[in-house]
Amino acid sequence: MASMSTVFPKPTSFISQPLTKSHKSDSVTTSISFPSNSKTRSLRTISVRAGLIEPDGGKLVDLVVPEPRRREKKHEAADLPRVRLTAIDLQWMHVLSEGWASPLRGFMRESEFLQTLHFNLLNLDDGSVVNMSVPIVLAIDDQQKALIGESKRVSLVDSDDNPIAILNDIEIYKHPKEERIARTWGTTAPGLPYVEEAITNAGDWLIGGDLEVLEPVKYNDGLDRFRLSPFELRKELEKRGADAVFAFQLRNPVHNGHALLMTDTRRRLLEMGYKNPILLLHPLGGFTKADDVPLSWRMKQHEKVLEDGVLDPETTVVSIFPSPMLYAGPTEVQWHAKARINAGANFYIVGRDPAGMGHPVEKRDLYDADHGKKVLSMAPGLERLNILPFRVAAYDKTQGKMAFFDPSRAQDFLFISGTKMRALAKNRENPPDGFMCPGGWKVLVDYYDSLTLTGNTKLPEKIPV
Amino acid sequence: MASMSTVFPKPTSFISQPLTKSHKSDSVTTSISFPSNSKTRSLRTISVRAGLIEPDGGKLVDLVVPEPRRREKKHEAADLPRVRLTAIDLQWMHVLSEGWASPLRGFMRESEFLQTLHFNLLNLDDGSVVNMSVPIVLAIDDQQKALIGESKRVSLVDSDDNPIAILNDIEIYKHPKEERIARTWGTTAPGLPYVEEAITNAGDWLIGGDLEVLEPVKYNDGLDRFRLSPFELRKELEKRGADAVFAFQLRNPVHNGHALLMTDTRRRLLEMGYKNPILLLHPLGGFTKADDVPLSWRMKQHEKVLEDGVLDPETTVVSIFPSPMLYAGPTEVQWHAKARINAGANFYIVGRDPAGMGHPVEKRDLYDADHGKKVLSMAPGLERLNILPFRVAAYDKTQGKMAFFDPSRAQDFLFISGTKMRALAKNRENPPDGFMCPGGWKVLVDYYDSLTLTGNTKLPEKIPV
């Protein structure tokens, strides 16, 4: 059995110098064509390239102060007006600091915020555009604004009031909460998890600027070793000689349908002519809603899935994506894809209703299940990324395993949604054999048991499936 | 006194052949630079070109069936399933038929709708993009959808059930009303005029397709002669030898502050090196909210303003823009600008809070007054258009006339908002001398008198200013 530690290396030391173009492999592009599945049978060209896809803006952003200058910067930070970060602010600072949002160099100023809200893109000085669909902003209230006064810089502090970053050349502008919510989520209905957590009670101002982060961000939760930066991921992918990298974003336990999909994607990439496609299995590590399975339990579950040999450790890199989850459907899936370009992925697997959830008020899904992949395939700045639509996998009762759904014999298939899966585990019931490896399933059952033991009353012990 | 009829020619016959590239003047581009007003003092390049700006997509769309084929098409239309158009649907059909939304060739299919909602643009086959910020869609209900059945074409009929167009190669898809409203207006608050008129009670499906319009659209309201199509406007502008065309969108009576602004813009364009800048004074002619001054009265008022010599008829073209008004602020101003490119304008004057209004529920403006011009200046597909920010004009008490506001002597200026102007006219009070030409003011007073005479109770005779 492969243990998780063989799947990816221990993180190397964090980079302490800004990256330059010379860090990148020269890329040589050749192209092959194959018929697409579209009705028109038009030929789609896929690039087979030596070297990883370029980061957005051509250069991976690194906002962590180099080691030799940290002492000096900490002194500077001590004398500046302070803005205290929430847990989600800190997650975004982490995201920014490692260049997931390259070429963005800090919390958004108003022009970036407006381009994001209205166009889901940022215009670069050279006339090109990069995708940017979710606002990465920092809210402050009237009192904080008054304290900042005329200062051009502020220090960002953690919950213990320790400075962890400096925000330079700041711009303070109004926080149009209603408009931000409407344009990001396509609804203003009460009950959106991220909105309730991070926007509703946030301040009426936004503060943007260029970040200098004083230390690499660590959470000290036992999972930091899984948090590879885009730079570290690129290094690992290059070390493995990947000529195609396909990213799979997830925030749920992995079942055998996912595994089938990922294995099949690799097969298709090999058929296309790639010699060494590598899977980036990339669970989201930031804020999630209360009824999602927490990161630590998901990581245990993923580990079991790899131990059980469901995925091949030789061709899989598991790492944590530090972003918070917005549940903003077609708007958010662009962010999920864009960030993975920066980590070196040139293929992105997109499923049904990505980043979706039930409407918080009405009895329906918030987003049309097909809009995510449609919007992603048309999104500005993502033209370089190859979108791989998720094929629907379901439990094939005739084979006793997960298989691609065959509509000609629909009656043979059983659909087990994430909601149903969670309900089964909560009720200590077993899913059909072959739905998930037993070790992985046990982790889920243990998680819900732990909730019962700690007397968490939010999640009833017995719920209907 | 110049009468309005001297300002622009009688409309020529409507074009009955699709336009080809050969209709366009060859454009020769030279460029001059001048310092911008931005803090960074970067140089901005303005193109001085012989010939008008190209329409979006390179070719002006014309969807009116050529005369020789109308009879045949009317026969075809008679046998198709029918969709009845509302007044606003008809206005959009008019807009589409004349190519204001070029290169769009009909009511949006889902991919166009999604690109509009999420990105405010349309991707073209050649890899370029054009701006498209407002959905131009046609809603149908369950019953209409059932009647259409498997048909690939429908006829669009007017309120008397007469076929006026055919929609070909149709696509029917869900009408996500809440999401459409949220992403277009940045709010879902009740009371948005266009939403209440055209969306709330509309059907749950949208039908897109390619339009064939059976006759040029006429309203028979005495104002059709003012409704020049983009093709006719281009012809007129070329006849006048315009080397710069600056468009001014308006939905309010013209006062001397507007006139000052337009005159000053012409002066600036001459200074930039243009020899013959022409003003396109372009009042919006479609749906407006109940408390706006109706089109017929506005046109009377504009006529008086020209008669009184406030604007120079030799360098001004007055025409009606057939679009409905959405009051969607920064999203809508892009549409207003984009449509004017198609009519030949390469300069667009943008004011404070364009297409804005009060928040329908909260006591504040719906949009930040500066967002419109900021968003417009960054909008994808509008890079070719030169944005001219509105300089603030106010009533200068020391001069007894409208003048550009001078913050160093703010106390000398009086601001008279559109709301205040309307209130004065309703109350039969006079504005300060020099605010508006007397003939124009009298039209406004007459309008509000007519409301009182017809017993319109919605607008009180005496309201506070």
Side-chain angles (χ1 to χ4, degrees):
Chain A
M1 300 275 183
S3 83
M4 201 140 176
S5 61
T6 69
V7 176
F8 58 85
K10 293 278 177 274
T12 56
S13 62
F14 277 73
I15 38 170
S16 56
Q17 298 290 338
L19 298 177
T20 66
K21 287 235 177 200
S22 63
H23 282 79
K24 291 197 307 280
S25 311
D26 291 328
S27 68
V28 181
T29 305
T30 56
S31 69
I32 55 168
S33 294
F34 69 101
S36 78
N37 287 329
S38 79
K39 286 184 207 160
T40 55
R41 294 255 159 221
S42 65
L43 291 181
R44 188 165 166 207
T45 302
I46 296 283
S47 296
V48 179
R49 43 200 304 156
L52 300 176
I53 190 171
E54 264 205 348
D56 272 350
K59 185 172 154 179
L60 202 55
V61 163
D62 170 26
L63 303 175
V64 180
V65 174
E67 178 69 58
R69 302 198 55 208
R70 285 184 194 163
R71 202 184 154 88
E72 164 202 344
K73 287 289 171 188
K74 284 176 190 173
H75 275 291
E76 288 179 26
D79 295 332
L80 296 172
R82 293 170 172 225
V83 172
R84 187 178 293 173
L85 301 187
T86 66
I88 287 182
D89 293 337
L90 182 65
Q91 289 163 12
W92 283 123
M93 192 193 82
H94 182 190
V95 162
L96 290 165
S97 71
E98 295 181 345
W100 296 96
S102 295
L104 198 60
R105 301 192 62 85
F107 289 103
M108 291 178 175
R109 297 191 179 88
E110 193 181 41
S111 82
E112 293 154 340
F113 175 65
L114 290 174
Q115 291 177 78
T116 300
L117 276 195
H118 287 273
F119 315 127
N120 292 3
L121 61 77
L122 297 179
N123 288 289
L124 305 191
D125 286 342
D126 66 2
S128 67
V129 303
V130 295
N131 188 270
M132 193 69 242
S133 62
V134 303
I136 302 182
V137 289
L138 180 58
I140 57 173
D141 61 21
D142 292 348
Q143 197 186 351
Q144 284 171 306
K145 180 172 181 287
L147 284 172
I148 293 167
E150 297 300 307
S151 178
K152 286 283 154 212
R153 308 172 79 195
V154 296
S155 73
L156 307 182
V157 303
D158 65 15
S159 55
D160 296 327
D161 238 20
N162 298 314
I164 50 177
I166 296 173
L167 199 61
N168 295 294
D169 197 11
I170 58 170
E171 179 185 301
I172 296 177
Y173 55 103
K174 273 177 267 174
H175 185 181
K177 291 184 189 181
E178 182 188 50
E179 189 174 353
R180 173 184 173 192
I181 297 164
R183 295 195 193 276
T184 305
W185 280 270
T187 178
T188 58
L192 297 167
Y194 183 95
V195 170
E196 305 227 315
E197 181 72 21
I199 302 182
T200 307
N201 298 314
D204 288 334
W205 303 93
L206 297 174
I207 178 170
D210 294 333
L211 262 180
E212 292 180 292
V213 177
L214 303 179
E215 297 272 0
V217 175
K218 298 292 173 197
Y219 297 80
N220 303 312
D221 58 356
L223 300 174
D224 282 331
R225 65 198 165 99
F226 297 126
R227 293 189 176 94
L228 273 69
S229 71
F231 177 77
E232 291 166 329
L233 281 170
R234 284 173 171 268
K235 231 172 123 179
E236 175 63 19
L237 292 165
E238 283 180 354
K239 202 182 88 188
R240 296 201 189 196
D243 61 353
V245 178
F246 56 113
F248 191 73
Q249 140 78 27
L250 77 170
R251 62 168 221 270
N252 275 314
V254 172
H255 59 60
N256 288 346
H258 297 133
L260 171 66
L261 178 82
M262 292 184 263
T263 309
D264 189 65
T265 301
R266 181 172 152 83
R267 186 188 57 72
R268 285 162 65 197
L269 292 172
L270 289 168
E271 277 176 16
M272 278 182 210
Y274 291 99
K275 301 300 177 201
N276 189 23
I278 300 288
L279 164 64
L280 172 58
L281 185 65
H282 216 191
L284 178 138
F287 166 81
T288 51
K289 60 189 166 71
D291 63 346
D292 278 355
V293 179
L295 178 66
S296 58
W297 289 92
R298 281 186 280 132
M299 292 306 288
K300 280 187 206 178
Q301 195 269 351
H302 300 340
E303 189 167 18
K304 288 293 173 196
V305 166
L306 284 153
E307 275 182 20
D308 283 6
V310 177
L311 289 170
D312 177 7
E314 290 300 311
T315 58
T316 304
V317 174
V318 183
S319 182
I320 293 173
F321 176 48
S323 173
M325 186 78 202
L326 276 70
Y327 306 92
T331 298
E332 184 171 20
V333 71
Q334 298 170 65
W335 160 241
H336 287 174
K338 177 239 164 69
R340 272 56 177 241
I341 291 178
N342 284 332
N346 57 337
F347 286 86
Y348 186 82
I349 302 175
V350 60
R352 198 183 158 280
D353 199 16
M357 55 173 269
H359 192 287
V361 173
E362 299 170 29
K363 279 206 168 180
R364 60 172 176 95
D365 284 340
L366 182 49
Y367 304 106
D368 182 301
D370 293 325
H371 280 186
K373 66 169 177 282
K374 288 177 183 171
V375 167
L376 190 59
S377 71
M378 300 186 290
L382 296 182
E383 298 81 3
R384 298 182 298 144
L385 187 67
N386 298 295
I387 311 297
L388 298 170
F390 206 103
R391 292 174 65 189
V392 178
Y395 187 76
D396 183 345
K397 292 180 281 186
T398 66
Q399 297 189 72
K401 66 174 191 180
M402 297 299 283
F404 288 120
F405 178 66
D406 176 355
S408 73
R409 48 184 192 91
Q411 72 285 356
D412 293 344
F413 288 88
L414 194 64
F415 283 89
I416 301 172
S417 68
T419 308
K420 186 164 182 178
M421 175 178 75
R422 289 192 292 262
L424 286 168
K426 280 177 201 171
N427 296 342
R428 302 182 63 86
E429 292 173 37
N430 282 328
D433 275 355
F435 171 74
M436 186 186 286
C437 64
W441 186 256
K442 186 169 180 308
V443 174
L444 278 195
V445 173
D446 288 350
Y447 163 60
Y448 286 106
D449 277 357
S450 77
L451 290 184
T452 315
L453 289 171
T454 58
N456 186 320
T457 53
K458 272 194 183 168
L459 294 151
E461 195 179 356
K462 183 82 181 173
I463 66 163
V465 299
Chain B
M1 300 272 184
S3 82
M4 200 139 176
S5 61
T6 69
V7 176
F8 57 85
K10 293 278 177 276
T12 56
S13 62
F14 277 74
I15 37 169
S16 56
Q17 298 289 338
L19 298 177
T20 66
K21 287 235 177 200
S22 63
H23 281 80
K24 292 196 307 279
S25 311
D26 292 328
S27 69
V28 181
T29 305
T30 56
S31 69
I32 55 169
S33 294
F34 70 102
S36 77
N37 287 329
S38 78
K39 285 184 210 162
T40 54
R41 293 257 159 219
S42 64
L43 291 181
R44 186 165 167 208
T45 302
I46 296 283
S47 296
V48 178
R49 42 199 305 157
L52 300 176
I53 190 171
E54 263 205 349
D56 273 349
K59 185 172 155 180
L60 203 55
V61 162
D62 170 25
L63 304 175
V64 180
V65 174
E67 178 69 57
R69 300 198 56 207
R70 285 184 194 163
R71 202 185 154 89
E72 165 203 343
K73 286 289 172 188
K74 284 175 189 172
H75 275 292
E76 287 179 25
D79 295 332
L80 296 173
R82 292 168 174 227
V83 172
R84 187 178 292 173
L85 301 187
T86 66
I88 287 182
D89 293 337
L90 182 65
Q91 289 163 12
W92 283 123
M93 191 192 82
H94 182 191
V95 162
L96 291 166
S97 72
E98 295 182 345
W100 297 96
S102 294
L104 198 60
R105 301 192 61 84
F107 289 102
M108 290 177 175
R109 298 192 178 87
E110 192 180 42
S111 82
E112 293 154 340
F113 175 66
L114 290 174
Q115 290 176 79
T116 300
L117 276 195
H118 287 273
F119 315 127
N120 292 3
L121 61 77
L122 298 179
N123 288 289
L124 305 190
D125 287 342
D126 66 2
S128 67
V129 303
V130 295
N131 189 269
M132 193 70 241
S133 61
V134 303
I136 303 183
V137 289
L138 180 58
I140 56 173
D141 60 21
D142 292 349
Q143 197 186 350
Q144 284 171 306
K145 180 171 181 287
L147 285 172
I148 293 166
E150 296 300 306
S151 179
K152 285 282 152 213
R153 308 171 77 194
V154 296
S155 73
L156 307 182
V157 303
D158 65 15
S159 55
D160 297 327
D161 238 20
N162 298 314
I164 50 176
I166 297 173
L167 199 61
N168 295 294
D169 197 11
I170 58 170
E171 178 184 301
I172 297 176
Y173 55 102
K174 272 177 267 174
H175 185 181
K177 292 184 190 181
E178 182 188 50
E179 189 174 353
R180 174 184 173 191
I181 297 164
R183 296 195 193 277
T184 305
W185 280 270
T187 178
T188 58
L192 297 168
Y194 183 96
V195 170
E196 305 227 314
E197 182 72 21
I199 302 182
T200 307
N201 298 314
D204 289 333
W205 303 93
L206 297 174
I207 178 169
D210 294 332
L211 262 180
E212 291 180 292
V213 177
L214 303 179
E215 297 271 0
V217 175
K218 297 293 173 197
Y219 297 80
N220 303 311
D221 57 356
L223 299 174
D224 282 332
R225 65 199 166 98
F226 297 126
R227 294 189 176 93
L228 273 69
S229 70
F231 177 77
E232 291 166 330
L233 281 170
R234 284 174 171 266
K235 230 172 124 179
E236 175 63 20
L237 293 165
E238 283 180 354
K239 202 182 87 186
R240 296 201 188 196
D243 61 352
V245 179
F246 56 113
F248 191 73
Q249 141 78 26
L250 77 170
R251 62 168 221 270
N252 276 315
V254 172
H255 58 61
N256 289 345
H258 298 133
L260 171 66
L261 178 81
M262 292 184 263
T263 309
D264 189 65
T265 301
R266 182 173 152 82
R267 186 189 56 72
R268 285 162 65 197
L269 291 171
L270 289 168
E271 277 176 17
M272 278 183 211
Y274 291 99
K275 301 300 176 201
N276 188 23
I278 300 288
L279 164 64
L280 172 58
L281 185 65
H282 216 190
L284 179 138
F287 166 81
T288 51
K289 60 190 167 69
D291 63 346
D292 278 355
V293 179
L295 178 66
S296 58
W297 289 92
R298 280 186 279 132
M299 291 307 287
K300 280 186 206 178
Q301 195 269 350
H302 300 341
E303 189 168 17
K304 288 292 172 197
V305 166
L306 284 153
E307 275 181 20
D308 283 6
V310 177
L311 289 170
D312 178 7
E314 290 300 311
T315 57
T316 304
V317 175
V318 183
S319 182
I320 293 174
F321 175 48
S323 172
M325 186 77 202
L326 277 70
Y327 306 92
T331 298
E332 184 171 20
V333 71
Q334 297 171 66
W335 160 241
H336 287 174
K338 176 240 166 69
R340 272 55 177 242
I341 291 178
N342 284 333
N346 57 337
F347 286 86
Y348 186 82
I349 302 175
V350 61
R352 198 183 158 279
D353 199 16
M357 55 174 269
H359 192 287
V361 174
E362 299 171 28
K363 280 205 168 182
R364 60 173 175 94
D365 284 340
L366 182 49
Y367 304 107
D368 182 301
D370 293 325
H371 280 186
K373 65 169 177 282
K374 287 177 183 171
V375 167
L376 190 59
S377 71
M378 299 185 291
L382 296 182
E383 298 82 2
R384 299 182 298 143
L385 187 68
N386 298 295
I387 310 297
L388 298 170
F390 207 103
R391 292 175 63 189
V392 178
Y395 187 76
D396 183 345
K397 292 180 281 187
T398 66
Q399 298 190 71
K401 65 173 191 181
M402 297 298 283
F404 289 119
F405 178 66
D406 176 355
S408 73
R409 48 184 192 90
Q411 72 286 356
D412 293 343
F413 288 88
L414 193 64
F415 283 89
I416 302 172
S417 67
T419 308
K420 185 163 182 181
M421 175 178 75
R422 289 192 292 262
L424 286 168
K426 280 177 201 171
N427 296 342
R428 303 181 63 87
E429 291 173 36
N430 282 329
D433 275 354
F435 171 74
M436 187 185 286
C437 64
W441 186 256
K442 185 170 180 306
V443 174
L444 277 195
V445 173
D446 288 350
Y447 163 60
Y448 287 106
D449 277 358
S450 77
L451 290 183
T452 315
L453 289 171
T454 58
N456 186 320
T457 53
K458 272 194 183 167
L459 294 151
E461 194 179 357
K462 182 82 180 172
I463 65 164
V465 299

